Amino acid sequence: MIQAVVDNVCWQMSLDRKTTALKQLQGHMWRAAFAAGRMKAEFFEDVVPAVRKWREAGMKVYIYSSGSVEAQKLLFGHSTEGDILELVDGHFDTKIGHKVESESYRKIASSIGCSTNNILFLTDVTLEASAAEEADVHVAVVVRPGNAGLTDDEKTYYSLITSFSELYLPSSA
């Protein structure tokens, strides 16, 4: 029985499945590793300074990830930058809906009391970008080492950034 579970988890991971149950299992495993001090989350060097700047300008920052809310909190609470959970106003995962479904973005906007057209969604997955745009959310596709390549059409259609410092966001104050 245990081997069947392990085989199933390995199979789901090999297919990069984003099932809620798999992500919850990941969260439990991460909790143990972070608590033991065996892991620390690393962010690209431009991320934390940019988020701090946005927060100082009065903007709110939310995380929407296929990783569970628990896993997100572990990452931001145990990073190489220290505990940076205070930089995040809220967390969303696949319990709100899949990231490739436009309704998920409408639900998030409703949940935070914001119009979808007042949200900027950063992603490296163009299917997610398309779903967010369908919900009238602004999108920038983040191009980083290790991300899937983009087609020529995607490169010309989407706003692309390679660093969070490239974003100019008006103050919400």
Side-chain angles (χ1 to χ4, degrees), residues 55 58-64 72 88-93 96 103-121 136-138:
R55 295 291 307 234
M59 290 177 230
K60 294 192 179 270
V61 176
Y62 296 88
I63 305 299
Y64 179 28
Q72 295 172 41
V88 181
D89 292 283
H91 303 266
F92 297 93
D93 60 19
I96 197 123
E103 185 58 25
S104 303
Y105 301 89
R106 291 183 195 97
K107 287 179 182 176
I108 289 171
S110 176
S111 172
I112 63 177
C114 180
S115 171
T116 54
N117 66 0
N118 286 328
I119 295 173
L120 171 63
F121 177 60
D136 198 28
V137 169
H138 299 278

Side-chain angles (χ1 to χ4, degrees), residues 32-54:
F34 282 121
R38 290 185 172 144
M39 279 183 15
K40 289 201 180 292
E42 290 186 46
F43 296 93
F44 286 98
E45 65 184 35
D46 58 293
V47 172
V48 174
V51 172
R52 286 189 197 285
K53 184 177 171 184
W54 301 338

Side-chain angles (χ1 to χ4, degrees), residues 91-161:
H91 303 266
F92 297 93
D93 60 19
T94 56
K95 288 181 183 170
I96 197 123
H98 293 285
K99 293 174 75 180
V100 295
E101 297 172 354
S102 60
E103 185 58 25
S104 303
Y105 301 89
R106 291 183 195 97
K107 287 179 182 176
I108 289 171
S110 176
S111 172
I112 63 177
C114 180
S115 171
T116 54
N117 66 0
N118 286 328
I119 295 173
L120 171 63
F121 177 60
L122 305 175
T123 184
D124 63 336
V125 179
T126 57
L127 287 174
E128 296 171 2
S130 178
E133 281 187 336
E134 193 176 306
D136 198 28
V137 169
H138 299 278
V139 172
V141 174
V142 184
V143 179
R144 300 280 197 182
N147 290 0
L150 301 173
T151 66
D152 288 340
D153 286 345
E154 291 169 334
K155 289 176 186 175
T156 56
Y157 179 80
Y158 291 105
S159 296
L160 306 178
I161 63 168

